Amino acid sequence: MSSVLKTDERGAKDINVQQFEGSQRVELYEQLKQREHNWWQARQQLTLLKERQMFWFGDNSFMMWLLWQLVSYVVVAMVLMLLSKLSNISLPLWQYMGLFAVQTLIFIVMLGFKGRMATHLQNKINQVDVLREEALNEMTILAADTLYNDVHAKAPISLQQIFEYYDGEFHLASLHRLLQKEVDAGRLMLGQQQVEAEILPLELADEELKEMASEMVYKSVL
């Protein structure tokens, strides 16, 4: 953010002639970077939790539970056979059956608590989602005094140029998400290149945006 630090330059479109002094703006940018980091982590955690929810408690979750139970039978049987071979101890059949019965009992108990575990996971998802939304709201408030001023002052400007302007300190997906709020509010116009980055995991969104960031040009209508 070279223009943030060069407080001696006072061009008409220089970001340092805004209502904040240079040191205050640097502090605002640092806060924005921290909120962006928090939002990024919350989004990643939310994606992982939702994947876990779909895997264990989705529409076909019962079949998945049965599959893992069968896998556990096989793993335990192989371990017992290996231990028996290494120690030269032969376990009677009833002990094998007893062990498998215990496994089955544990499985039934876990199925009984499946609804409670699903509720616990959903509560955790809701908590992380609240943190994500709070971080995004804080990012938007900070961006109103930093990022948005820069973009309006330098528009038309591409997403790639914005990314380079901040020395790569912000992810493309984060910049796109924040700028989309200005587009939705009618204060910025985006060219033909629209990317549904919000519905993708952040790493995939960043990769997709890299391919077309230079073609995504923002124009100010202020």
Side-chain angles (χ1 to χ4, degrees):
M1 291 181 292
S2 55
S3 61
V4 177
L5 302 177
K6 295 178 182 177
T7 56
D8 292 334
E9 298 180 7
R10 300 291 178 178
K13 287 190 175 183
D14 194 290
I15 63 173
N16 295 306
V17 298
Q18 303 296 332
Q19 56 182 327
F20 296 100
E21 296 296 332
S23 60
Q24 291 176 303
R25 290 186 61 80
V26 170
E27 183 179 350
L28 287 175
Y29 276 102
E30 289 300 321
Q31 292 180 23
L32 180 59
K33 284 167 56 179
Q34 182 60 47
R35 299 306 188 279
E36 191 252 7
H37 177 72
N38 295 343
W39 177 77
W40 188 269
Q41 284 191 321
R43 270 287 301 268
Q44 287 181 313
Q45 187 178 2
L46 187 63
T47 300
L48 291 175
L49 289 174
K50 287 186 175 181
E51 289 176 352
R52 188 184 306 171
Q53 183 185 48
M54 184 177 298
F55 185 84
W56 290 110
F57 306 105
D59 294 337
N60 298 320
S61 61
F62 183 72
M63 295 300 299
M64 189 61 63
W65 282 60
L66 287 178
L67 176 61
W68 278 105
Q69 181 63 16
L70 292 175
V71 171
S72 71
Y73 285 145
V74 174
V75 171
V76 170
M78 292 178 64
V79 170
L80 288 176
M81 291 175 62
L82 181 61
L83 291 176
S84 178
K85 185 176 182 180
L86 292 176
S87 59
N88 293 323
I89 298 177
S90 179
L91 296 176
L93 180 61
W94 68 268
Q95 288 186 341
Y96 283 102
M97 295 180 62
L99 182 59
F100 291 137
V102 171
Q103 278 187 273
T104 304
L105 180 61
I106 294 174
F107 175 69
I108 294 174
V109 171
M110 290 181 64
L111 278 181
F113 283 94
K114 181 182 176 183
R116 186 174 299 180
M117 289 187 290
T119 301
H120 176 74
L121 181 58
Q122 183 61 53
N123 290 338
K124 193 171 183 179
I125 289 175
N126 294 340
Q127 292 173 0
V128 175
D129 195 33
V130 169
L131 293 176
R132 177 195 62 82
E133 193 63 31
E134 287 178 351
L136 180 60
N137 291 337
E138 292 173 356
M139 283 170 61
T140 305
I141 293 172
L142 290 167
D145 295 319
T146 52
L147 171 66
Y148 295 159
N149 289 338
D150 296 347
V151 174
H152 284 293
K154 296 182 178 297
I157 184 172
S158 70
L159 182 62
Q160 181 64 34
Q161 289 174 318
I162 298 171
F163 176 76
E164 294 172 356
Y165 178 74
Y166 293 114
D167 301 324
E169 294 181 334
F170 298 99
H171 294 90
L172 285 171
S174 304
L175 293 171
H176 176 267
R177 184 69 182 86
L178 286 172
L179 292 172
Q180 188 60 42
K181 285 184 171 290
E182 281 291 274
V183 173
D184 294 340
R187 292 185 287 269
L188 281 177
M189 291 181 59
L190 180 59
Q192 298 298 319
Q193 293 292 340
Q194 284 280 4
V195 182
E196 296 297 331
E198 291 82 2
I199 63 176
L200 296 173
L202 290 180
E203 291 81 1
L204 296 180
D206 240 29
E207 288 300 318
E208 183 170 351
L209 287 168
K210 284 179 183 178
E211 299 177 0
M212 54 185 64
S214 59
E215 302 175 18
M216 299 174 63
V217 179
Y218 293 90
K219 299 179 181 179
S220 176
V221 297
L222 297 182

